Amino acid sequence: MPVTATHAADIRGTGLAPHVGVPARPEKVLVIACGALANEVLAITRQHGLSHVALQCLPAQLHNRPEKIPEAVRRAIHVARAQYARILIGYGDCGTGGLLDKVLAEEGVERIEGAHCYAFFTGIDGFEAEMDREPGTFYLTDFLARHFDTLVIRPLGLDTRPELRDAYFGNYTRLMYLEQSGDAVLREKAQAAARRLGLSYAHRVTGYGLLEEMLRGA
């Protein structure tokens, strides 16, 4: 096995020959991600033994104020930079109108491809095909299915004013559950969400999509 540059640097000046056959430890990598992806990032790192990958989540509630996401990510990068050899960003554009990409270009840090988590779970082409097939689709991920009441029903006031449902969802025709983990309980929650919104139900198993690809390359 060839000696890596990192391993050679560790022993340089010691007078010892490199011990061929002992691989260098992977560099420490930090993923700065939306809190909505915490379970998914941790599941991927466990599944693939990515012990060198650490996770820092920013509050999922930032999606209510997407203009705040770019500077929140920048601050997290600055705090972490001295501790990690590489930083990856687990956000899409997420409604920032390109401002997040501007910050990441300035900081020299890359993010996952895609405008939002729906696109990087299905794959960008796959999401565009779904949108072409049925534009009036309301999407759920595992996270949104798990927290449907907290993130959809209560903020829209539908828990106390259910008659407002059609005002919010009258132009939607179906709910599409994009499933990551294979959790039957979440599938039932997604079906219940479709009934509550008066929408037809569709289901697609996506796994972790582009998020898994990015982390496996870390």
Side-chain angles (χ1 to χ4, degrees), residues 58-136:
L58 300 181
Q61 288 85 350
L62 280 172
H63 280 285
N64 296 330
R65 298 291 303 275
E67 74 277 7
K68 294 188 175 183
I69 292 174
E71 288 306 316
V73 170
R74 190 197 300 272
R75 289 193 297 271
I77 290 170
H78 288 181
V79 170
R81 184 160 263 152
Q83 303 175 55
Y84 292 91
R86 188 179 180 203
I87 297 173
L88 298 173
I89 304 302
Y91 272 93
D93 176 75
C94 295
T96 69
L99 293 179
L100 178 58
D101 283 336
K102 182 175 183 292
V103 164
L104 298 183
E106 292 168 356
E107 299 295 337
V109 175
E110 62 183 294
R111 71 168 174 88
I112 191 170
E113 293 183 72
H116 39 62
C117 56
Y118 313 131
F120 56 71
F121 284 140
T122 61
I124 295 169
D125 291 343
F127 181 77
E128 290 178 355
E130 286 291 352
M131 288 295 292
D132 289 341
R133 186 176 300 112
E134 184 54 76

Side-chain angles (χ1 to χ4, degrees), residues 157-170:
L158 295 176
D159 54 334
T160 57
R161 298 284 303 279
E163 69 275 12
L164 293 175
R165 182 191 69 181
D166 290 345
Y168 290 123
F169 295 97

